[in-house]
Amino acid sequence: MSDCLFCKIVAGDIPADIIFEDDKVIVFKDINPKANVHLLMIPRIHIASLAELTEEHDALMAHMMRLLPVLAHEQGLDSGFRTIINTGKDGGQIVFHLHIHLLGGSGLPGFA
Ligand code: AMP
Ligand code: ZN
């Protein structure tokens, strides 16, 4: 999608602080971090949100889920981390390219 911010990061058209990438995903630092560690994991392909997932994305999503604890470990988050997926306007989603927030470290606020 030409007008999608995260597709532009995938294409290299706007810069990001990329900490991991493979053929399926890119992981970069959130520009406005809410915790000591705040990364965003996105698929290279454009999927607007969790609500647009279909069966064809099952392998991709499993890949993303399994990668999260690996990245958390690499970030030193061995005592725990938080993942968040905001979906839709009322879910707090601002960028409509599916992304998983990975948060951790001593700055992590409580959530209940
Ligand atoms: P969400 O509310 O789940 O859609 O979150 C979007 C996230 O993208 C926010 O945490 C923003 O700080 C982050 N963000 C927006 N633009 C950029 C950018 N250019 N590089 C890195 N993170 C960004
Ligand atoms: Zn996109």
Side-chain angles (χ1 to χ4, degrees):
M1 289 248 312
S2 56
D3 61 343
C4 169
L5 178 68
F6 288 173
C7 280
K8 288 178 181 162
I9 288 177
V10 172
D13 292 339
I14 64 168
D17 197 344
I18 294 171
I19 66 120
F20 175 87
E21 58 184 318
D22 64 16
D23 60 328
K24 298 182 185 67
V25 305
I26 297 181
V27 181
F28 51 93
K29 291 185 179 176
D30 195 293
I31 206 166
N32 182 22
K34 305 288 197 304
N36 291 356
V37 175
H38 188 172
L39 305 179
L40 299 175
M41 176 184 289
I42 66 170
R44 285 186 181 274
I45 61 169
H46 181 84
I47 303 167
S49 82
L50 208 56
E52 275 72 36
L53 285 181
T54 66
E55 201 173 334
E56 73 183 82
H57 303 122
D58 285 357
L60 171 64
M61 293 309 295
H63 178 71
M64 292 173 76
M65 289 296 150
R66 283 168 47 78
L67 198 50
L68 286 161
V70 176
L71 291 164
H73 173 68
E74 285 177 8
Q75 295 292 314
L77 303 176
D78 289 320
S79 56
F81 58 91
R82 181 176 300 159
T83 49
I84 297 173
I85 305 175
N86 296 321
T87 302
K89 180 172 64 70
D90 288 351
Q93 186 174 7
I94 294 167
V95 179
F96 281 77
H97 179 129
L98 177 64
H99 51 280
I100 304 175
H101 297 258
L102 171 60
L103 300 123
S106 59
L108 195 60
F111 183 84

